[in-house]
Amino acid sequence: MQILDGKLVSKSVKNYLAQSVTIQKEKGKKIPHLAAILVGSNGASETYVAGKIKDCEEVGFNSTLLRLDESVSEKSLIEHIGFLNDDPDVDGILVQLPLPVHIKEEHIISSIDPGKDVDGFHPVSMGKMVNGLPTFIPATPYGIMLMLEHYKIETSGKYAVVIGRSHIVGTPMSILLSRNTPYGNCTVTQCHSKTHDLASFCRQADILVAALGKPEFITADMVKEGAVVIDVGITRIPDNTKKSGYRLSGDVKYDEVAPKCSFITPVPGGVGPMTRAALLKNTFNATVALKAVMN
Ligand code: NAD
């Protein structure tokens, strides 16, 4: 069994980006600039946004954090996004989700300029991804694809089961794995909360991606011998022994599943760091590579 080390792979992605930024600077070209909007003060969202800003600093990107009050109206939030859309110095815009219930996420996401949509959630980005056109890929599935590539995991002709159908993880993941690309070409079944006998699908999977958000849901009896297991789940479990007051749990019962796997991602230290690295890659692409084709 080999651990898919997200910390290690994300470090190599970050090193590559830091070098690329240095070269950009030397050539007098634009430095990537990410603008993040945080509405309210949800604990997990604060942590995620702080991490994204810190990542930018680490690789030499510019960043802006715009904090808005929980009570901000949808109209006002869209106006703020409009200013960032029009600001030529801002290359990437992300709005940290979830948003307060009085704001419709789809209105907000649709108001972001698709050329700056580094989260890849805009319907234009989604549509291009489905069509196999160059675009921003949502960071979590993009990070997983980068990890498969790094470890040269054979995917062609394999049977992949993706559990979850969210727009940000499960659905794009199942599309990317089924595409005719070097780390695609899987035969994919996408499972969800209404799937009957989920375990019977899981047991056949050569590649199992668990993105349902149910701690330790996947047990050893649900996993085929030699499978590649990607655990996307992150749930905070109250834990008084930790300074933070919680520990993170994945969707996979790691201790009993790992011995059966050829490869497995740990939680933490697997998909999480890759998601952060993939967002940086999207931001860099927003500045250089994709700019020409997006606008
Ligand atoms: P979501 O709640 O939007 O979607 C969960 C999906 O799981 C749904 O489509 C649902 O149909 C399915 N599901 C729920 N219960 C099920 C069951 N019993 N059997 C089969 N399917 C079931 O969640 P999401 O945003 O896609 O995130 C999923 C998990 O991944 C969460 O734990 C989230 O915190 C985590 N996550 C991690 C990262 C990361 O960087 N590691 C990024 C995004 C999300």
Side-chain angles (χ1 to χ4, degrees), residues 195-250:
T195 299
H196 286 295
D197 198 5
L198 177 73
S200 70
F201 291 100
C202 296
R203 273 195 287 271
Q204 296 174 62
D206 301 309
I207 299 170
L208 179 63
V209 181
L212 65 161
K214 299 255 181 314
E216 303 195 330
F217 185 92
I218 303 295
T219 46
D221 59 309
M222 297 169 79
V223 176
K224 180 175 162 179
E225 201 70 50
V228 176
V229 173
I230 309 289
D231 188 354
V232 183
I234 302 182
T235 306
R236 288 182 171 195
I237 311 280
D239 185 341
N240 292 334
T241 67
K242 302 278 177 198
K243 217 168 83 184
S244 58
Y246 65 84
R247 68 188 155 82
L248 297 180
S249 172

Side-chain angles (χ1 to χ4, degrees), residues 21-94:
V21 171
T22 307
I23 293 168
Q24 291 278 104
K25 266 189 196 160
E26 281 167 5
K27 288 184 180 164
K29 292 200 171 156
K30 177 142 186 5
I31 304 304
H33 181 174
L34 175 71
I37 302 181
L38 176 62
V39 179
S41 53
N42 170 288
S45 293
E46 292 262 4
T47 309
Y48 290 140
V49 170
K52 291 168 188 177
I53 298 293
K54 186 168 151 268
D55 289 340
C56 284
E57 282 164 12
E58 258 178 57
V59 296
F61 291 2
N62 293 325
S63 61
T64 301
L65 172 58
L66 180 59
R67 305 184 69 111
L68 299 172
D69 193 79
E70 180 89 26
S71 64
V72 69
S73 68
E74 188 175 292
K75 186 167 171 279
S76 167
L77 177 53
I78 289 173
E79 274 167 17
H80 282 287
I81 292 170
F83 292 131
L84 296 173
N85 285 341
D86 294 341
D87 184 343
D89 193 59
V90 170
D91 302 295
I93 302 169
L94 73 84

Side-chain angles (χ1 to χ4, degrees), residues 3-29:
I3 290 174
L4 298 171
D5 187 341
K7 278 193 198 159
L8 188 93
V9 184
S10 68
K11 213 174 252 176
S12 84
V13 173
K14 282 174 161 181
N15 285 342
Y16 169 78
L17 290 172
Q19 282 167 17
S20 305
V21 171
T22 307
I23 293 168
Q24 291 278 104
K25 266 189 196 160
E26 281 167 5
K27 288 184 180 164
K29 292 200 171 156

